[in-house]
Amino acid sequence: MQFWNKTIETMPRKEIEQLQLRLLKELVTRIYEKSHYYHTLMKEVGVHPSDIISLEDIVKLPTMNKTDLRDNYPDRLIIADPEDIIRYHVSSGTTGKPTVVGYTKNDIENWSESLARSFTSFGLGKRDVIQVSNGYGLFSGGLGMHYGAEKLGAAVVPASTGGTKRQIELIKDLKVTSIACTPSYLLHMAEVAESMGVDFRNDTRLGSAILGAEPWSENTRRHIEDWMGIKAQNCYGASELSGPLFTECNEQDGVHVWGDLCLVEVIDPKTGEHVGEGERGELVFTMLRREALPIIRYRIGDISEITWERCACGRTHPRLQRVAGRVDDMIIIRGINVFPSQVEHVLGEIEEVTQHYMILVDSDGALDKMTVQVELDPEAFTDNILTLRAIRSKVAGALKDTLNVRVDVELMEPGSLPRFEEKAKRVLDRRVRM
Ligand SMILES: [Zn+2]
């Protein structure tokens, strides 16, 4: 097993937490002294840097979210001196003003360090050729991966997005061993390669892909790995945290979040209280070493869970499970949180149905009623009522097991449900609110 920084990556939890506390104290002192915004905010909620005595005291600090970044456009939250800023990334966002993230030299250094550790954890090193097919430019994906791969000492092919045939030729000709891109782009690339007569298994040296920047599932992972004969690694990040930042190791059992760079909390999105370890909730990030733009208790809107259990690879830092959904997508059925991604996962496991589905939520008296409409697989399509009943109870049973709520299932004819070209809207909440 290779490590980039073995001392830090295998540090006992207690030592990581001691380091986190020291860094948190320094960070809070820094923002209190240097940021007019934070100074005022901390005074308002009545917290002083000296109130941070243990890690639990982090809850005394206010949380922030994307709106705070937007409202302070372009640089009102930046605390570094202008001469120390060496880069800006800007995310356009689908609604409202863009958000700007500034970086000092150390910020870029820590970002690259984080990725170099992650790349090493699934076997990449100096001999590798990494094609970065994430967008370069204001978007932080391409340059982030680029600097991480260079730090590792690998050779970088800065392909950026588009020109798929050329990308495939580069993979072949430059003996690319790993590619960073979105899962949907990789699938598209695999299709184009087939049409060109290029077989990823035999005609290239591609061994892994670093995939992120959009939600994807374990089913998609298996599909990619079987089809292309590569390891598909999940990568986590967000433009506010620096773009791509952490990946899974070879074990593919959660993303290693480097605790000496980042402190992650998991809260109940409704109450804001911490949930127990291994319980699902909204992720809240504090970037402990950020110099230019402080990211403190940042509510990112992703729902997931973390564990501190030591990974089979020997790394001790907390591991983040695959994102289960967005806070905005969460549906509450009879007090239980349900995510469309869970439904999708269950349907993906059942052969007789497809991934075309709709979730309908209605009021049934004072209670909530959830119905999942799903298209039958053309192969399973029949008019035999007994067969259909059996499929329906199989789907309903599997959904109940995963969601912990009773679900009505309606089987639909193949091709009868809406198709979505862009962002799918699969939830129809028709509940009457009193
Ligand atoms: Zn691991």
Side-chain angles (χ1 to χ4, degrees):
M1 178 54 72
Q2 290 286 311
F3 291 91
W4 178 258
N5 191 335
K6 191 171 183 186
T7 315
I8 287 183
E9 290 172 49
T10 60
M11 207 182 233
R13 175 174 181 174
K14 228 186 163 133
E15 284 176 37
I16 297 173
E17 288 181 333
Q18 278 164 0
L19 178 59
Q20 288 182 323
L21 179 59
R22 179 170 69 76
L23 292 169
L24 180 66
K25 285 180 175 174
E26 287 170 12
L27 176 66
V28 174
T29 306
R30 198 158 70 235
I31 56 167
Y32 191 76
E33 284 168 1
K34 291 187 113 173
S35 162
H36 174 72
Y37 174 84
Y38 271 107
H39 192 91
T40 315
L41 197 59
M42 284 170 68
K43 282 218 147 152
E44 262 171 35
V45 297
V47 58
H48 185 267
S50 62
D51 294 327
I52 308 295
I53 295 158
S54 73
L55 270 187
E56 286 70 44
D57 291 327
I58 194 167
V59 299
K60 294 176 182 167
L61 298 168
T63 58
M64 65 190 287
N65 59 30
K66 197 157 200 137
T67 313
D68 297 310
L69 291 183
R70 271 195 208 118
D71 292 350
N72 288 285
Y73 178 87
D75 58 0
R76 277 199 294 271
L77 290 180
I78 288 181
I79 57 169
D81 295 330
E83 65 262 36
D84 291 328
I85 304 283
I86 63 163
R87 197 194 297 173
Y88 290 108
H89 280 290
V90 181
S91 83
S92 54
T94 42
T95 51
K97 270 191 223 149
T99 55
V100 176
V101 182
Y103 299 84
T104 65
K105 200 165 189 306
N106 285 335
D107 290 337
I108 299 283
E109 177 57 31
N110 287 327
W111 181 7
S112 310
E113 162 79 19
S114 179
L115 285 173
R117 286 184 205 169
S118 297
F119 295 161
T120 309
S121 78
F122 60 90
L124 296 186
K126 280 168 105 88
R127 290 208 174 90
D128 283 282
V129 181
I130 303 177
Q131 182 154 320
V132 178
S133 304
N134 301 107
Y136 277 67
L138 288 173
F139 170 67
S140 55
L143 280 167
M145 290 291 185
H146 186 111
Y147 274 65
E150 272 195 1
K151 172 122 184 132
L152 184 74
V156 186
V157 182
S160 196
T161 51
T164 307
K165 283 190 176 163
R166 180 133 189 256
Q167 299 242 10
I168 294 161
E169 280 158 12
L170 289 171
I171 292 174
K172 260 177 67 179
D173 299 343
L174 297 177
K175 302 181 176 60
V176 169
T177 56
S178 190
I179 183 167
C181 60
T182 61
S184 55
Y185 189 62
L186 188 65
L187 285 166
H188 172 66
M189 203 180 258
E191 273 173 4
V192 175
E194 274 194 356
S195 74
M196 291 164 70
V198 175
D199 174 4
F200 273 105
R201 284 172 188 270
N202 297 315
D203 303 336
T204 76
R205 297 211 184 150
L206 201 66
S208 62
I210 310 150
L211 303 175
E214 69 188 16
W216 62 303
S217 65
E218 281 304 310
N219 292 326
T220 307
R221 169 168 12 227
R222 284 198 291 272
H223 177 58
I224 290 173
E225 292 192 336
D226 291 346
W227 188 10
M228 302 181 68
I230 59 168
K231 276 204 117 168
Q233 300 295 118
N234 190 18
C235 176
Y236 186 81
S239 58
E240 306 87 326
L241 309 180
S242 285
L245 203 52
F246 312 111
T247 73
E248 300 166 313
C249 68
N250 241 335
E251 302 294 326
Q252 297 188 328
D253 192 15
V255 163
H256 286 285
V257 175
W258 309 117
D260 58 315
L261 300 174
C262 172
L263 193 159
V264 53
E265 302 166 74
V266 187
I267 61 168
D268 181 320
K270 288 275 173 284
T271 64
E273 309 252 334
H274 281 174
V275 303
E277 191 179 322
E279 279 176 47
R280 192 175 270 189
E282 182 181 355
L283 302 176
V284 180
F285 287 93
T286 299
M287 300 302 289
L288 292 164
R289 294 181 192 260
R290 267 297 183 78
E291 291 181 345
L293 176 77
I295 291 291
I296 294 164
R297 303 204 75 212
Y298 188 81
R299 292 183 65 158
I300 203 142
D302 285 336
I303 299 279
S304 184
E305 61 198 80
I306 58 162
T307 173
W308 275 88
E309 205 182 291
R310 181 194 274 262
C311 181
C313 73
R315 289 174 179 81
T316 48
H317 293 241
R319 271 175 298 144
L320 183 64
Q321 291 311 308
R322 201 179 268 284
V323 170
R326 300 272 310 157
V327 172
D328 319 330
D329 297 336
M330 186 170 82
I331 325 161
I332 304 175
I333 307 284
R334 302 184 185 193
I336 292 174
N337 301 341
V338 171
F339 296 95
S341 57
Q342 292 174 295
V343 173
E344 196 163 322
H345 179 76
V346 171
L347 300 177
E349 303 274 287
I350 301 172
E351 232 176 272
E352 295 90 337
V353 295
T354 67
Q355 297 255 298
H356 297 291
Y357 68 95
M358 287 294 294
I359 299 171
L360 313 176
V361 189
D362 293 284
S363 304
D364 183 12
L367 292 173
D368 306 318
K369 190 174 107 148
M370 177 171 159
T371 309
V372 170
Q373 297 179 323
V374 61
E375 281 181 18
L376 278 163
D377 188 88
E379 300 270 305
F381 189 59
T382 168
D383 53 8
N384 183 326
I385 213 90
L386 288 177
T387 311
L388 290 175
R389 262 190 210 153
I391 298 173
R392 197 176 61 187
S393 38
K394 184 174 172 184
V395 177
L399 285 169
K400 169 96 204 278
D401 285 348
T402 298
L403 308 177
N404 291 314
V405 287
R406 201 178 66 78
V407 178
D408 287 336
V409 172
E410 287 175 20
L411 298 176
M412 313 294 284
E413 244 178 79
S416 61
L417 287 176
R419 299 293 191 263
F420 302 93
E421 279 185 12
E422 283 172 24
K423 206 175 150 43
K425 263 192 88 76
R426 299 193 188 277
V427 181
L428 213 57
D429 196 337
R430 303 186 289 198
R431 280 178 288 194
V432 185
R433 310 248 174 225
M434 298 292 176

